[in-house]
Amino acid sequence: MDKFAIRGGNRLHGTISVSGSKNSSLPILAATLLTRERCVLHRVPDLTDVRYMLDILRYLGADVEFSQGSVVVEARKVVGETPYDLVRRMRASVCVLGPLLARCGRAKVSLPGGCVIGDRPIDLHLRGLEALGSRIALSKGYVIAEASGLVGARMSLQGPHGSTVLGTDNVMMAACLARGTTIVENAASEPEVADLARFLCSMGAKVRRAGGSRLEIEGVDELHGAEHTVISDRIEAGTFAVAAAITRSELVLEEAPIEHMRSTLSALQDAGVFVEAAEGRLRVRATDPLHPLQLRTGTYPGFPTDMQAQFCALAATIPGRSRIEDDIFPNRFMHISELKRMGAHADLLANVAVIDGVDRLSGAPVMASDLRASAALVLAGLQAENTTTISRVYHIDRGYERIDAKLRAVGADIERLPK
Ligand code: EPZ
């Protein structure tokens, strides 16, 4: 298992190109199961999670090729069962449930189980698919969904923490091939859901966002192949923007999805970071002093939970008291204990991190635990004195395309040490 060694203190300078979105690519790859015709996807990032999804598509019977960021999928025939050892590696695999049910009339998908950021229920997914006429059974750790023809319905996907991104994706994909019209109230509004909707429409689906969080889907008999370019990754872009802020440097991000980053960019501006957006290029510049943060995560367009850990790392370097609350994943604070090993003054009160920033973090051996917590440790290492070694960097490779190479190219002293 690889490690990163980061010698902190360098100022960063230059341009980073933002990759295609992981959280857009995964459900769009699942949607290719809805047609037997050829689909071509561009700007798909080369990530472990993407390769997991390609393995699942191949297991289900699809022909899959992936080269230079483009994926070709041809699911001429599809079996409706996804085994545990494939699904357990990635919770997002659950988004094959809707397409398999719509395509085959039956889907057997292993329950994703929990993960370090908290319990990952799929009750809203299942409620939505049942509303479309599917019979759902849970047996031996599997979800078994069956339907002799899906029928359009009206439903709400409101849960205790707002809507559900992948739940909205599952229901939307299944409803595309249902008989009649489906109305989804409290559907997720994340840009990645909109990107999936665009792809489905290019396949011949009839999906309309009727204002705010309401989706209308008019079922069709079948979908055809399509070609699509995936949107840029707003979380990767946000992570590199924080890299500029935490090192008090200036970076230019190319291909940044600025219109999807409003809450992240205003959080940076509130901290005193200079942000300038023009023609898809984002300039981020930070000098001392910065101001403490008061943040609370929310569903889009609120402050994203996927940026929470990165902003905890930034707050750890800003003198004064910051308060960061996660209402989406209340347990998503694995990074706090590791940041404290690096000298951060932080306390966790339920789902609120209270952080008193210090002038300089100190390098230490730390362990990655989940994707965004690991990114937070990389960011902290860029600012810390001496060397930070991060083990289990496979967590980072799940969601960041060559993060070490991208950071090295703008002046970071970061090295990947093969175990
Ligand atoms: C997606 O996960 C993203 N993953 C996550 O990004 C992201 O953190 C999350 O949305 C929230 O924005 C992908 O898109 C692949 P949810 P998802 O269903 O869809 C509760 C990353 O770092 N809930 O929107 O699984 C749930 O427990 C990953 O890239 C239910 O109660 O998240 C959570 O508290 C991590 N019942 C909240 O809703 C359900 O049936 C939001 O979950 C489903 C969810």
Side-chain angles (χ1 to χ4, degrees):
M1 283 187 278
D2 290 356
K3 280 186 174 184
F4 282 158
I6 305 171
R7 275 165 289 281
N10 289 13
R11 284 277 187 280
L12 306 183
H13 180 74
T15 301
I16 293 182
S17 180
V18 177
S19 299
S21 162
K22 165 180 85 79
N23 290 352
S24 198
S25 299
L26 296 174
I28 286 177
L29 284 166
T32 63
L33 294 167
L34 289 165
T35 178
R36 55 175 47 80
E37 295 183 13
R38 186 170 182 268
C39 293
V40 183
L41 306 174
H42 301 297
R43 293 202 78 227
V44 177
D46 190 355
L47 304 169
T48 318
D49 275 7
V50 166
R51 291 194 175 270
Y52 282 160
M53 183 57 85
L54 300 184
D55 288 347
I56 290 171
L57 296 183
R58 291 188 182 102
Y59 179 88
L60 293 170
D63 292 328
V64 178
E65 281 163 44
F66 183 24
S67 71
Q68 271 91 40
S70 292
V71 176
V72 179
V73 183
E74 221 165 326
R76 285 189 297 278
K77 60 190 178 347
V78 171
V79 295
E81 185 158 332
T82 312
Y84 174 65
D85 73 319
L86 277 179
V87 171
R88 69 177 170 77
R89 296 187 296 189
M90 178 180 67
R91 162 178 165 73
S93 330
V94 71
C95 68
V96 301
L97 189 57
L100 285 180
L101 180 61
R103 175 80 187 269
C104 310
R106 183 179 190 279
K108 183 178 177 186
V109 178
S110 166
L111 276 165
C115 67
V116 289
I117 69 176
D119 179 24
R120 304 294 293 273
I122 60 168
D123 57 304
L124 296 172
H125 300 232
L126 302 181
R127 196 192 309 164
L129 295 175
E130 277 178 327
L132 294 174
S134 165
R135 294 175 302 286
I136 302 279
L138 303 182
S139 157
K140 302 191 183 75
Y142 278 83
V143 180
I144 300 158
E146 291 176 317
S148 42
L150 295 171
V151 181
R154 175 186 286 272
M155 69 186 75
S156 166
L157 289 179
Q158 179 69 22
H161 301 277
S163 184
T164 162
V165 171
L166 291 178
T168 301
D169 294 346
N170 258 329
V171 168
M172 181 163 64
M173 289 187 279
C176 286
L177 294 178
R179 198 172 60 255
T181 301
T182 297
I183 307 281
V184 183
E185 303 289 359
N186 304 304
S189 315
E190 274 65 6
E192 296 76 22
V193 176
D195 202 26
L196 171 63
R198 272 190 297 278
F199 176 59
L200 291 167
C201 289
S202 69
M203 297 170 82
K206 293 181 179 157
V207 181
R208 199 167 73 83
R209 181 166 290 276
S213 62
R214 178 188 161 112
L215 273 181
E216 288 178 10
I217 302 121
E218 193 184 322
V220 294
D221 292 338
E222 63 179 12
L223 296 178
H224 52 71
E227 189 157 1
H228 183 81
T229 298
V230 165
I231 55 173
S232 287
D233 194 312
R234 62 192 167 106
I235 306 301
E236 186 203 23
T239 304
F240 288 128
V242 173
I246 203 167
T247 55
R248 309 302 190 265
S249 308
E250 174 168 349
L251 284 177
V252 174
L253 303 182
E254 276 184 338
E255 313 259 1
I258 297 161
E259 66 286 359
H260 299 154
M261 298 173 68
R262 294 289 167 215
S263 53
T264 297
L265 298 179
S266 56
L268 287 171
Q269 287 170 311
D270 291 349
V273 176
F274 172 79
V275 170
E276 184 183 57
E279 293 104 47
R281 287 166 68 91
L282 183 62
R283 181 180 301 277
V284 181
R285 184 175 65 241
T287 51
D288 282 319
L290 294 183
H291 320 306
L293 308 161
Q294 306 299 323
L295 292 170
R296 171 185 294 188
T297 67
T299 52
Y300 192 85
F303 179 75
T305 174
D306 293 350
M307 287 301 304
Q308 179 259 103
Q310 299 91 313
F311 273 79
C312 283
L314 176 59
T317 71
I318 300 175
R321 173 155 289 189
S322 293
R323 190 181 182 285
I324 300 179
E325 180 174 338
D326 198 327
D327 291 346
I328 304 290
F329 288 113
N331 301 316
R332 192 179 195 170
F333 287 101
M334 298 288 287
H335 43 285
I336 293 296
S337 50
E338 296 302 298
L339 288 172
K340 288 169 80 167
R341 290 172 46 72
M342 297 177 70
H345 296 168
D347 285 313
L348 207 44
L349 310 170
N351 63 327
V352 182
V354 179
I355 302 169
D356 293 316
V358 296
D359 287 340
R360 197 77 194 272
L361 294 169
S362 46
V366 290
M367 189 180 294
S369 57
D370 72 275
L371 172 54
R372 307 305 174 182
S374 320
L377 297 179
V378 170
L379 296 173
L382 294 177
Q383 194 264 7
E385 60 191 352
N386 304 324
T387 299
T388 299
T389 50
I390 304 175
S391 56
R392 302 188 176 179
V393 296
Y394 58 84
H395 287 291
I396 301 177
D397 292 332
R398 296 187 54 163
Y400 289 91
E401 201 174 29
R402 298 176 293 102
I403 192 170
D404 46 329
K406 288 191 177 185
L407 286 170
R408 211 169 23 248
V410 290
D413 184 346
I414 177 171
E415 202 184 344
R416 183 183 288 261
L417 308 173
K419 186 78 182 84

